[in-house]
Amino acid sequence: MFDFLRLLSFGPDGWGDEIARGALLTIELALVTLPVGIAIGLGVALAKDSKSAAVKMLANAYTTVFRGLPELLTLFIVYYGGQMLLTRLAGLFVEGASVEVNQFVAGVVALGLVLGAFSSEVLYAAIRAVPRGQKEAAAALGLSKMRVFRLVTFPQLWRVALPGLSNNWMVLLKDTSLVSVIAISDLMRQTAIAVGVTKQPFFFYLIACLIYLVFSAISSAVFSRLEARASRGFRRVGGH
C-alpha cells in the first residue's frame, strides 16, 4: 500500500505531479475544443436550415465525412496533412521552408471538427423544434433575422439542445485520450510513461480511470444545473 502511495507522491520519487499535469492538460484541451466545436456545429446547423440547396448539400457533406471518419484518422489527417499543406504553401514564398504544426492546436482542430459534426445534428434538431410561427411573428414585428435568432430562436434551441450537447461533451472528454499519439502530454500519455517506467500497468491505468470518472461526474453535475436553469419557466409535457 505504501509503495503505491509513494508512486503517486509529488516530487522526483513519484508520478503524482506528472499525472496531475496530464489531467490538467486533458481538461484544458476539452475546454478549448468545446466552444470551437459548438461554433462549428451551430454554423453547420444554420447552413442545413438554409433555403439554399447548395449550402445544405455542403453542410450535409461535412457531417457525413466527419461523423463517418474515425476520430484517430481525423487527428492524423489534420496533424500530418496540415503540416504538409502549410509547408507547401510556405514553400511558395520561401524556398525550403518547413512548418511544424503545434500538437495542441492540431488536437483542438481535429476534435473540434468531429464535435462540430455531431453537434450540428443536435443543434439542427433543436432549431427545427422551435415553432416557425414564433419566428414569423418576430419578423412581422420588424426584427431582423439576426435579432430573431438571438432573441427568439437561440434561447429555445439552447434549452432543447443541452441534453444532446452534454452527451457530446462526454464523448469529447474521452476522445481527448487520442491526442497522446501525437506526443501531447495528456493524462493518457503521462500514464503510459509511468507504466513503462514502473511496470505497474493496473495501478496507473486504474488511477487514470478514476480521474476520467471524476471529470465525468463533475460534468454531469454542471450540465444538470445548466439544464435546470435553461428549463425554468417551461413545463415538461406530461408533468404536474
Side-chain angles (χ1 to χ4, degrees):
M1 180 64 180
F2 290 107
D3 289 338
F4 288 136
L5 291 177
R6 182 174 56 80
L7 288 174
L8 278 181
S9 64
F10 288 78
D13 297 328
W15 291 88
D17 43 357
E18 286 84 358
I19 297 296
R21 283 198 297 269
L24 180 61
L25 186 58
T26 291
I27 203 67
E28 285 177 354
L29 179 63
L31 288 174
V32 172
T33 303
L34 181 63
V36 174
I38 296 298
I40 293 173
L42 182 58
V44 174
L46 291 173
K48 287 186 175 186
D49 197 45
S50 169
K51 294 180 180 179
S52 169
V55 172
K56 283 184 178 181
M57 184 179 69
L58 289 174
N60 287 324
Y62 167 82
T63 55
T64 299
V65 169
F66 287 103
R67 290 178 69 199
L69 287 177
E71 288 84 346
L72 186 59
L73 184 55
T74 301
L75 180 61
F76 284 149
I77 290 173
V78 169
Y79 182 59
Y80 294 111
Q83 203 157 262
M84 291 174 58
L85 178 62
L86 291 175
T87 296
R88 294 212 174 171
L89 289 175
L92 297 176
F93 302 97
V94 180
E95 187 176 354
S98 178
V99 178
E100 185 173 344
V101 175
N102 179 274
Q103 292 100 324
F104 188 90
V105 173
V108 169
V109 172
L111 294 177
L113 288 171
V114 175
L115 177 63
F118 283 94
S119 296
S120 69
E121 295 294 310
V122 175
L123 292 166
Y124 177 64
I127 289 173
R128 302 291 290 181
V130 178
R132 186 170 295 274
Q134 294 186 16
K135 292 181 278 189
E136 292 174 349
L141 292 174
L143 296 180
S144 64
K145 288 186 177 181
M146 182 61 69
R147 295 193 69 187
V148 170
F149 177 78
R150 182 169 60 87
L151 298 176
V152 178
T153 307
F154 185 76
Q156 296 186 74
L157 78 84
W158 174 247
R159 176 179 60 85
V160 175
L162 262 177
L165 294 178
S166 68
N167 290 335
N168 288 350
W169 162 257
M170 293 296 189
V171 174
L172 169 65
L173 201 56
K174 292 183 291 183
D175 283 348
T176 56
S177 62
L178 298 174
V179 301
S180 60
V181 301
I182 57 172
I184 295 181
S185 299
D186 69 321
L187 176 58
M188 285 304 299
R189 181 169 175 80
Q190 295 288 25
T191 299
I193 294 172
V195 167
V197 173
T198 64
K199 311 302 180 186
Q200 294 287 347
F202 181 78
F203 174 71
F204 279 105
Y205 286 129
L206 178 61
I207 294 300
C209 286
L210 293 175
I211 292 174
Y212 277 113
L213 287 174
V214 169
F215 286 162
S216 296
I218 294 173
S219 299
S220 294
V222 170
F223 273 100
S224 293
R225 292 291 299 273
L226 288 175
E227 288 177 34
R229 184 179 180 84
S231 298
R232 287 186 306 179
F234 291 90
R235 184 174 67 86
R236 293 182 180 275
V237 175
H240 300 284

